[in-house]
Amino acid sequence: MTSAQDQGDAVRIGKPAGPPWREPGMPALLAMTTFAFAGFAVMLPVAPMHMVALGGDEFLAGLVNAVLMAATILTQLVVERMRTWMGWRVSLALACLLLGLPALGEILATAPGQVLALAAVRGIGFGIVTVSGSSAVGALFPPERRGRAIGAYGLAVAGAQLVLTPISPWIADQAGFPVALTVAALPLAGIPFALAAGASIAKHARATAAVAIANGAAAAAVPHESPREARRALVRLWPPILALTAVTCAGGAITTFTPQFVPDAVLTVVALFLYTAAAAFARWAVGGPADRIGAERFVLPGLVIAALGLGAIATGISGVIGSASPVLLIGGAILVGTAFGTMQNVTLVRAFDVAGEHAKGVASTAWNVAFDAGTGIGALAIGALAAGTSFTVSFVALAVLCVVVAVLLAVVRRLTRPGVR
């Protein structure tokens, strides 16, 4: 039986609403996300630097973020199940706690092993916040409004990274690691917002259930993801997941190796800044059009844009055009960033669409695992390929990968259209 307040909220379900960031629960979710990703953005470059300062070599420095991503992916696989008994409020607050406390703990670290252990703890928190954030958007918004909502959520994710990732190494160099690590504890400030967001999401779920019951659809009031439904959803999810993985491989390569294949330090900063800015803007801007004409229409163009950008970067690295190389590098970074942001939005919308309303949790988990796995695979594979050949060959290979995936999805789309045998 629903409370009077839940019934009052239920009446408002389905009525026209304003911008997604004004939806009940969304301001708190965006604030929590900003604080959570602020800590992540600082630690991404600072933790490897701290490892070296404590006596670790380059392998251990690279291992820090590898451990972080491994813990993230393992956690993402169990987040939805964990939240069924922990609840939204506790799980979101726990994510902020596990992201922020290890940063403060690292101030006291004296050995490389301690940095790795704290990275694993941060990975658990990051795994919770990534899956829960995208699941929360799916829970708060109906399908026809998710593109714009994901765009707003993407701005909260990218905003902190755009500012803090480039300057956090400078903070560590100029002010010292204790100051940088204290800044990295910003997720702790997100705990009150996490509690507020969790309460709103749970309230929205009760109101949605009340609407279903009032409409005589009690069986559908509380969506349930059975193992059979989850398996079916995973089978349907492979096209958007494959497209996302191809583009995140490119993103992982750019964010990891730009300082190595770009000869000038200033050009490196400009390229990374414009790449991140283009991704943030594209993820937000594509939301409205995706809601109006369908997210699927943007998947193939996103892959093509990524391939063009990667080809431009490969040409710029090769040096065959001489003084014009920096222009191609910058232009390529902007194109790949645009494709990266676009695909972050439209593939998540498509994942929710093809999985179905009863399997939003499966869609969120699969999408986040593919995103982080693609980022890690891109960094590792391109590093290994570049060591044996060159970065030019590596980025040509990434461009070919995007083209092949685009052709495959185009063929599958044509063969699966109604009326085509």
Side-chain angles (χ1 to χ4, degrees), residues 18-373:
W21 50 86
R22 296 176 60 184
E23 187 79 14
M26 196 63 169
L29 178 66
L30 295 178
M32 180 214 73
T33 300
T34 299
F35 282 116
F37 276 84
F40 173 79
V42 172
M43 292 300 286
L44 204 59
V46 167
M49 291 173 62
H50 196 208
M51 171 67 82
V52 173
L54 293 177
D57 57 14
E58 292 182 353
F59 171 75
L60 288 176
L63 191 60
V64 174
N65 287 338
V67 168
L68 170 73
M69 299 315 298
T72 296
I73 292 172
L74 291 174
T75 302
Q76 287 169 338
L77 297 174
V78 299
V79 168
E80 293 295 333
R81 183 178 302 174
M82 177 194 73
R83 200 173 55 241
T84 58
W85 57 268
M86 187 177 291
W88 280 100
R89 297 176 76 250
V90 175
S91 59
L92 292 177
L94 179 63
C96 293
L97 186 70
L98 295 178
L99 276 169
L101 272 185
L104 295 178
E106 195 163 316
I107 297 175
L108 306 176
T110 57
Q114 295 169 340
V115 176
L116 292 176
L118 290 169
V121 177
R122 287 190 291 113
I124 296 172
F126 192 60
I128 297 172
V129 80
T130 50
V131 171
S132 297
S134 52
S135 291
V137 173
L140 288 173
F141 293 88
E144 65 273 10
R145 297 184 62 207
R146 283 181 188 150
R148 281 165 287 186
I150 291 170
Y153 177 76
L155 284 181
V157 170
Q161 293 175 298
L162 184 63
V163 175
L164 291 174
T165 299
I167 69 168
S168 55
W170 179 86
I171 295 174
D173 280 335
Q174 299 299 315
F177 283 106
V179 174
L181 293 170
T182 300
V183 175
L186 277 171
L188 296 177
I191 291 177
F193 299 102
L195 295 172
S200 293
I201 296 166
K203 180 180 176 181
H204 184 88
R206 293 195 300 269
T208 303
V211 170
I213 292 172
N215 291 335
V222 181
H224 175 67
E225 296 179 8
S226 69
R228 185 177 181 180
E229 288 171 338
R231 288 192 296 270
R232 288 179 175 178
L234 286 173
V235 172
R236 296 192 297 269
L237 279 169
W238 75 265
I241 293 303
L242 179 61
L244 175 71
T245 303
V247 176
T248 53
C249 281
I254 288 176
T255 54
T256 301
F257 297 112
T258 296
Q260 297 183 40
F261 64 74
V262 174
D264 181 75
V266 175
L267 186 59
T268 297
V269 173
V270 171
L272 284 175
F273 177 82
L274 291 177
Y275 165 81
T276 307
F281 177 78
R283 187 173 184 180
W284 169 76
V286 78
D291 285 339
R292 289 192 298 270
I293 65 176
E296 187 178 14
R297 293 175 181 264
F298 295 89
V299 173
L300 297 184
L303 287 165
V304 172
I305 292 171
L308 291 173
L310 292 164
I313 291 174
T315 305
I317 294 172
S318 68
V320 296
I321 57 172
S323 60
S325 294
V327 176
L328 276 181
L329 288 172
I330 294 296
I334 293 173
L335 285 175
V336 178
T338 300
F340 189 78
T342 298
M343 298 298 276
Q344 280 182 290
N345 189 315
V346 299
T347 56
L348 182 55
V349 174
R350 283 295 298 156
F352 283 139
D353 288 345
V354 300
E357 291 301 297
H358 289 274
K360 292 194 297 289
V362 173
S364 177
T365 299
W367 187 91
N368 279 283
V369 169
F371 185 96
D372 294 324

